[in-house]
């Protein structure tokens, strides 16, 4: 995500949320999805893309979220997010495994009808937390918005990576044509 940020970003005040997690927080994501996405580029413009998401419990009970998004004029978004419930810590452990890039890890909480995943990091602007916020979820729809909140004053960048997902029938194949 660092390559998508610009040196002269417009920053907005934000605060970190407080909340709790439950083993059922991701039930709304299970299934097959058509996705319309946007990704922020270094100049703060967005490129659009579309693709699919396939979310299921894998053979060891982990919620696996496979994305295959063809981004116009930008690097495609292809990879899997693994969401594992930790019953001892009472939280979700999140691992993003993108195709061809380093993976990232974080945790998740639920707050006011949203699920918020947090991933710490650092770039040329300082230390930050990326928050993937899943909102507006219903049986056939949800919205995801990745924001970046910097420690140096609580500033944030909105829609570094964001998408809208609409439920679709199970496809004949869940293979991603973007992976060689």
């Amino acid at each position: 995500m660092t390559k998508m940020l610009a040196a002269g970003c417009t920053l907005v005040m934000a605060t970190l949320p407080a909340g709790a997690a439950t083993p059922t927080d991701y039930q709304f994501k299970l299934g097959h999805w058509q996705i319309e996405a946007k990704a922020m580029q270094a100049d703060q413009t967005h490129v659009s893309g579309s693709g699919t998401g396939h979310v299921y419990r894998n053979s060891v009970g982990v919620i696996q979220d496979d994305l295959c998004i063809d981004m116009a004029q930008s690097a495609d978004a292809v990879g899997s997010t693994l969401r594992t419930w930790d019953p001892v810590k009472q939280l979700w452990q999140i691992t993003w495994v993108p195709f061809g890039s380093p993976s990232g890890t974080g945790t998740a909480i639920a707050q006011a009808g949203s699920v918020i995943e947090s991933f710490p990091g650092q770039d040329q602007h300082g230390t930050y937390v990326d928050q993937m916020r899943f909102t507006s979820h219903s049986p056939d729809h949800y919205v995801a918005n990745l924001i970046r909140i910097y420690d140096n004053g609580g500033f944030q960048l909105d829609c570094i990576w964001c998408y809208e997902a609409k439920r679709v029938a199970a496809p004949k194949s869940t293979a991603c044509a973007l992976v060689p």
Side-chain angles (χ1 to χ4, degrees):
M1 294 294 170
T2 302
K3 68 181 178 181
M4 294 181 194
L5 293 178
C9 295
T10 303
L11 300 173
V12 181
M13 292 300 290
T15 58
L16 292 171
T22 69
T24 60
D25 290 334
Y26 290 103
Q27 290 299 112
F28 72 95
K29 283 185 64 84
L30 296 173
H32 305 279
W33 303 92
Q34 176 62 40
I35 296 175
E36 297 300 323
K38 293 191 303 185
M40 184 182 289
Q41 301 302 289
D43 64 0
Q44 293 185 35
T45 61
H46 285 87
V47 294
S48 297
S50 62
T52 60
H54 175 57
V55 185
Y56 55 97
R57 287 195 184 273
N58 67 21
S59 61
V60 293
V62 171
I63 294 179
Q64 185 164 334
D65 186 344
D66 298 333
L67 284 180
C68 184
I69 312 296
D70 186 6
M71 299 299 292
Q73 309 155 358
S74 180
D76 296 327
V78 177
S80 294
T81 301
L82 304 174
R83 295 177 173 94
T84 307
W85 175 250
D86 184 331
V88 175
K89 294 181 181 177
Q90 294 290 296
L91 58 77
W92 287 95
Q93 298 286 344
I94 315 297
T95 303
W96 164 238
V97 185
F99 178 76
S101 299
S103 63
T105 59
T107 59
I109 61 169
Q111 180 184 41
S114 298
V115 176
I116 303 168
E117 299 176 349
S118 297
F119 304 88
Q122 186 172 1
D123 66 10
Q124 71 272 21
H125 302 295
T127 303
Y128 61 82
V129 173
D130 277 345
Q131 289 186 350
M132 177 60 90
R133 297 177 179 204
F134 297 100
T135 61
S136 305
H137 39 88
S138 70
D140 296 321
H141 175 263
Y142 71 89
V143 174
N145 183 10
L146 181 67
I147 64 170
R148 180 164 289 174
I149 301 171
Y150 286 91
D151 290 345
N152 60 352
F155 297 108
Q156 83 177 33
L157 289 170
D158 190 39
C159 193
I160 294 171
W161 164 250
C162 53
Y163 64 89
E164 182 176 8
K166 294 181 181 175
R167 189 176 300 279
V168 295
K172 292 180 183 176
S173 170
T174 57
C176 181
L178 300 174
V179 177

